[in-house]
Amino acid sequence: MLKKVFASAVFGVEASTITVEVNVDKGVGYHLVGLPDNAIKESNYRIAAALQNNGYRIPGKKITINMAPADLRKEGSAYDLTLAIGILAASNQIKAENLEDYLIMGELSLDGSLQPFKGALPIAVKAREEGFKNIILPIQNSKEAAIVDNIKVFGVENIMQVINHFENGESLEQTIINTREEFYKSLDFPEFDFADVKGQESIKRCMEIAAAGGHNIILIGPPGSGKTMLAKRLPSILPPMTLHEALETTKIHSVVGRVKAHTGLMAQRPFRSPHHTISNVALVGGGSYPQPGEISLSHNGVLFLDELPEFKREVLEVMRQPLEDREVTISRAKFTVTYPSSFMLVASMNPSPSGYFNDPDAPITSSPAEMQRYMGKISGPLLDRIDIHIEVTPVPFEKLSDERQGESSVEIRKRVTKAREKQTQRFKDLEHIHYNAQMSTKQIRNYCKLDDASMSLLKSAMERLNLSARAYDRILKVARTIADLEDSEDILGAHISEAIQYRSLDRDGWLG
């Protein structure tokens, strides 16, 4: 007897429906075809033990299982439940009417309980597209899949619940999530808040400008000056994610199994902070079966690279193209996968190998040659993509011991969101540009016009501070954002002079 059960496979951040055909015939043997990997080939041992421990068995007949489309590689252990239900239905051990309305997935333990799998969200999205009415999966994945509306999601703990549902008509408990309510619940309670930061008012201002215009930023300062503390709080002042962005971000985290079982939809923007020993593949994504890298996991959020010069140069170089294109494409002989990677880059570094350059009280100082070697690890093209450079100085004791609370992230975010709305309106006719940092040279000429006084101020500053040509466009972009924060249609001299302060590394004496 032939039975069809439906499952799904994830490629990139999209899923494809898999039809599992189970045929039980006269003879002996167990044949699994359709390009399964080793984890799927081993499934018959898990299925046999799980069924036996629950009063069922794999029949001693010829069982042929085809996973169609047969030329698409299937991997992982999430097909155990699909295969087990198919075998039980094809061997008439259970009644399985309307099986075609269900998409069934889950990894089996030997006692019949179910283990979670990766990629539940893209699978649920695809199931809805294909017209499935129900999806059965492990209870740990149910919240994540229930984000998708117009499909019933049933989270189960063991195979007996599924068997009883089909055999005896016992109803399964549907997982229902009010996506909007879940999403807005945690928006106003960020985990890290700028109210905790003592002093550092100029750096907070800098962070606000970076968040408002989507600018990449680098913090330069000695150890203990608060670079990491400030970077961790940046996501809390970025504009709240839209539901579309939240779904996109959750999808990527779902593929690598990083969605927490109790949350479902990710409401907070991601913050990723990889260690400087990271490899190219781990940062950008890839592998023999491609997986998203850190830059994709920080999509719609912040990628923080602490101690930037300590990263291997080739690792930083592979990041240049995704910074421009806001997506990364991984090509293999048989297929190509594209992952989105629209993130804000926040980097930090010590000003010298010892960390105390320009500090007269420093215990150690570095020679100019050591400084040059240290700074030379960061390539010009990468620095080209960083709009704001700011020096962070240690906080004096008086500020540290001050009991007063600083301005909260929620207050700062209101101003940032207002400035972003202004930019959304400005760029509404441009498809790929949403905020100031994404402007090309052509758009800078259109939207960053200066009056004569501001132009002469910029000219004299560039000559006096010996700023490089690359700094010119960056200063204009940042000045446009400062003007937006102050609700000004025109860029004024005050905006230009503030933007000039944020180009530390372009001045003579820093990068040769």
Side-chain angles (χ1 to χ4, degrees):
M1 187 177 175
L2 174 68
K3 275 285 178 188
K4 289 184 180 180
V5 197
F6 296 94
S8 204
V10 177
F11 293 93
V13 287
E14 302 300 327
S16 301
T17 301
I18 303 292
T19 307
V20 177
E21 303 168 319
V22 184
N23 189 57
V24 176
D25 209 348
K26 288 176 186 164
V28 179
Y30 183 93
H31 308 286
L32 182 58
V33 294
L35 283 187
D37 73 348
N38 283 338
I40 302 171
K41 286 175 186 167
E42 292 167 352
S43 65
N44 63 322
Y45 299 111
R46 292 191 293 273
I47 293 166
L51 293 182
Q52 194 150 8
N53 287 327
N54 287 281
Y56 293 86
R57 61 188 175 80
I58 291 185
K61 294 182 179 179
K62 183 182 178 185
I63 300 172
T64 307
I65 301 173
N66 178 40
M67 304 179 83
D71 62 342
L72 198 70
R73 184 171 175 82
K74 303 20 164 237
E75 54 185 57
S77 51
Y79 302 98
D80 292 1
L81 186 60
T82 323
L83 300 174
I85 295 299
I87 291 167
L88 290 174
S91 59
N92 279 329
Q93 294 184 64
I94 62 168
K95 294 196 294 283
E97 292 157 17
N98 62 354
L99 202 55
E100 65 282 353
D101 292 341
Y102 289 84
L103 192 136
I104 302 170
M105 292 193 80
E107 179 189 330
L108 279 172
S109 293
L110 301 187
D111 62 354
S113 60
L114 290 173
Q115 301 294 330
F117 60 89
K118 296 175 184 175
L121 180 56
I123 285 169
V125 170
K126 187 67 176 178
R128 181 185 62 185
E129 274 174 31
E130 302 261 320
F132 287 98
K133 296 185 181 120
N134 314 290
I135 179 167
I136 295 175
L137 35 67
I139 199 157
Q140 298 96 316
N141 293 118
S142 61
K143 270 202 166 182
E144 191 183 318
I147 294 167
V148 182
D149 53 2
N150 300 330
I151 186 168
K152 289 181 180 172
V153 175
F154 301 106
V156 292
E157 292 181 8
N158 57 62
I159 193 172
M160 282 311 295
Q161 287 174 267
V162 186
I163 291 170
N164 290 335
H165 174 66
F166 287 114
E167 179 69 6
N168 308 323
E170 286 184 17
S171 58
L172 295 169
E173 191 179 337
Q174 186 184 348
T175 306
I176 298 171
I177 279 190
N178 184 333
T179 312
R180 288 179 184 279
E181 191 184 299
E182 288 274 318
F183 178 64
Y184 292 116
K185 196 165 60 181
S186 55
L187 274 187
D188 287 342
F189 302 101
E191 188 181 351
F192 299 105
D193 199 309
F194 267 102
D196 310 330
V197 180
K198 305 283 187 192
Q200 303 291 29
E201 298 310 319
S202 60
I203 318 296
K204 285 184 198 171
R205 165 76 176 162
C206 223
M207 288 291 197
E208 185 179 330
I209 294 165
H215 302 287
N216 298 327
I217 180 171
I218 184 164
L219 308 170
I220 311 134
S225 55
K227 302 187 294 291
T228 308
M229 185 184 191
L230 287 155
K232 275 189 177 170
R233 281 153 180 75
L234 184 60
S236 69
I237 62 167
L238 286 170
M241 282 201 281
T242 61
L243 271 169
H244 173 72
E245 283 179 325
L247 197 64
E248 213 177 31
T249 308
T250 310
K251 228 175 176 185
I252 298 166
H253 285 251
S254 172
V255 168
V256 288
R258 295 270 172 84
V259 178
K260 297 185 178 88
H262 62 276
T263 54
L265 192 69
M266 289 175 65
Q268 302 284 359
R269 291 185 180 272
F271 177 85
R272 307 291 302 176
S273 177
H275 193 258
H276 61 75
T277 53
I278 194 169
S279 68
N280 309 15
V281 171
L283 185 69
V284 178
S288 49
Y289 306 116
Q291 286 279 296
E294 289 289 339
I295 62 170
S296 296
L297 290 172
S298 53
H299 179 60
N300 289 327
V302 174
L303 178 70
F304 177 49
L305 301 182
D306 201 2
E307 297 306 332
L308 191 67
E310 300 297 338
F311 282 80
K312 292 195 284 288
R313 190 172 174 125
E314 67 269 19
V315 171
L316 296 177
E317 294 306 293
V318 292
M319 211 168 59
R320 276 160 49 181
Q321 177 261 336
L323 269 170
E324 287 290 306
D325 299 348
R326 303 196 172 267
E327 61 178 29
V328 58
T329 302
I330 296 155
S331 300
R332 294 289 173 267
K334 290 187 178 176
F335 58 90
T336 300
V337 175
T338 300
Y339 294 115
S341 61
S342 178
F343 58 90
M344 250 183 87
L345 175 66
V346 180
S348 80
M349 58 182 283
N350 292 331
S352 64
S354 66
Y356 296 98
F357 176 66
N358 278 352
D359 184 350
D361 306 320
I364 321 157
T365 53
S366 304
S367 69
E370 284 177 317
M371 276 289 305
Q372 199 58 44
R373 198 160 52 243
Y374 182 71
M375 301 300 284
K377 289 185 182 178
I378 311 165
S379 71
L382 181 68
L383 271 181
D384 223 1
R385 290 160 173 80
I386 299 176
D387 295 349
I388 299 175
H389 315 151
I390 186 78
E391 290 178 58
V392 186
T393 50
V395 183
F397 179 76
E398 298 77 53
K399 292 269 177 72
L400 280 177
S401 55
D402 192 347
E403 289 298 313
R404 283 176 301 178
Q405 282 273 313
E407 193 176 19
S408 76
S409 290
V410 175
E411 290 301 311
I412 300 171
R413 188 168 63 195
K414 283 177 188 165
R415 296 196 295 270
V416 169
T417 307
K418 196 176 167 193
R420 278 281 179 108
E421 282 163 1
K422 208 172 162 67
Q423 292 163 48
T424 305
Q425 192 60 31
R426 179 182 301 134
F427 303 126
K428 65 177 187 293
D429 299 329
L430 301 168
E431 193 185 341
H432 298 297
I433 296 180
H434 307 292
Y435 42 82
N436 292 338
Q438 295 172 321
M439 284 192 287
S440 66
T441 309
K442 185 181 172 187
Q443 278 107 33
I444 291 171
R445 300 291 169 268
N446 287 344
Y447 299 114
C448 301
K449 292 188 168 71
L450 301 182
D451 57 25
D452 292 341
S454 301
M455 187 57 90
S456 64
L457 171 70
L458 180 54
K459 181 174 181 283
S460 66
M462 288 193 72
E463 286 168 358
R464 196 175 68 254
L465 297 170
N466 214 349
L467 295 173
S468 65
R470 77 163 77 107
Y472 178 74
D473 282 357
R474 305 288 167 196
I475 288 169
L476 288 178
K477 281 187 193 181
V478 174
R480 177 70 267 171
T481 302
I482 296 167
D484 288 343
L485 276 168
E486 292 179 9
D487 211 9
S488 165
E489 282 304 315
D490 302 316
I491 298 175
L492 308 175
H495 305 145
I496 288 285
S497 56
E498 185 176 353
I500 291 165
Q501 295 172 22
Y502 304 143
R503 296 298 300 175
S504 298
L505 292 182
D506 281 321
R507 292 180 200 155
D508 259 8
W510 272 107
L511 288 178

